[in-house]
Amino acid sequence: MFLVVIYGLVLALPLLFLVQRRALSPSQRSPPVNSQPEEKKSLKTIMQPPRDDLDPPKDDPFTLDQLKQFDGSDNSKPIYVSVKGTVFDVTRKSDVYGPGKSYNIFAGKDGSKGLGMSSLKPEDAVPDYSDLPENEKNVLNDWFLFFQKRYNIVGRVTDMPTSVSNLANL
């Protein structure tokens, strides 16, 4: 008899649990756990879908020194980023390329090497990417394609280092 009671409890407890769980109304249930903290949601990102409303590419010449004027420090000027010698207008994403923002390290310069290395160190944001290993050159090419599909091309850098001037279009 004792074993019958034990077996009855063993079978009844899971059933009681399920009944109690279903009996709770939605307002009594605890809210679902949010997988992302609130601060994570508010972080700005450069990731966005490709655009189909880009202007035809321009071929205006820029020197690396002239490009420095377009780093976002002057609100009356656009923000430009050069990748492999191609200059992109990233002004519409000033929330990530503007002064004090996460990718401002690349604004107003050609930081191809840093992009290829996935580095935000100022010393890596330089135009000479000739010594990157093949896998990092592939990363740089991916960044180039990313920019090409999302930002207007406004020109080209005319004084890229000679070590990469013939690689810029590869």
Side-chain angles (χ1 to χ4, degrees):
M1 179 71 175
F2 179 71
L3 286 177
V4 173
V5 171
I6 296 293
Y7 284 126
L9 285 175
V10 168
L11 294 174
L13 283 176
L15 185 60
L16 288 172
F17 174 77
L18 290 173
V19 169
Q20 178 189 12
R21 189 170 171 204
R22 290 198 185 265
L24 287 175
S25 68
S27 63
Q28 292 174 316
R29 289 185 185 167
S30 60
V33 177
N34 193 345
S35 61
Q36 288 185 339
E38 194 61 37
E39 65 206 35
K40 192 84 164 168
K41 286 183 186 177
S42 66
L43 288 177
K44 298 293 181 181
T45 180
I46 64 166
M47 301 310 292
Q48 61 211 281
R51 296 179 55 138
D52 57 4
D53 62 344
L54 294 174
D55 296 334
K58 294 181 183 175
D59 199 30
D60 295 344
F62 289 90
T63 65
L64 290 169
D65 197 49
Q66 288 172 326
L67 198 56
K68 292 177 184 176
Q69 301 173 45
F70 303 97
D71 65 354
S73 60
D74 182 347
N75 287 338
S76 68
K77 294 182 179 178
I79 302 173
Y80 292 163
V81 168
S82 175
V83 181
K84 295 172 60 173
T86 300
V87 182
F88 298 91
D89 183 345
V90 298
T91 307
R92 64 183 185 78
K93 291 298 287 181
S94 62
D95 57 335
V96 291
Y97 293 104
K101 303 301 180 186
S102 56
Y103 286 91
N104 180 251
I105 188 72
F106 300 110
K109 65 176 73 167
D110 187 301
S112 294
K113 184 174 185 175
L115 286 170
M117 295 172 64
S118 300
S119 171
L120 294 176
K121 294 178 183 176
E123 62 269 20
D124 293 333
V126 296
D128 186 355
Y129 58 93
S130 61
D131 61 344
L132 290 177
E134 196 62 34
N135 64 322
E136 291 179 348
K137 285 181 181 174
N138 290 337
V139 171
L140 176 58
N141 289 335
D142 289 344
W143 274 112
F144 182 84
L145 292 172
F146 173 87
F147 276 79
Q148 195 175 40
K149 292 176 183 178
R150 289 162 180 84
Y151 301 110
N152 288 316
I153 296 174
V154 295
R156 58 183 168 74
V157 176
T158 58
D159 61 343
M160 288 291 284
T162 55
S163 56
V164 295
S165 59
N166 60 342
L167 301 175
N169 294 324
L170 299 177

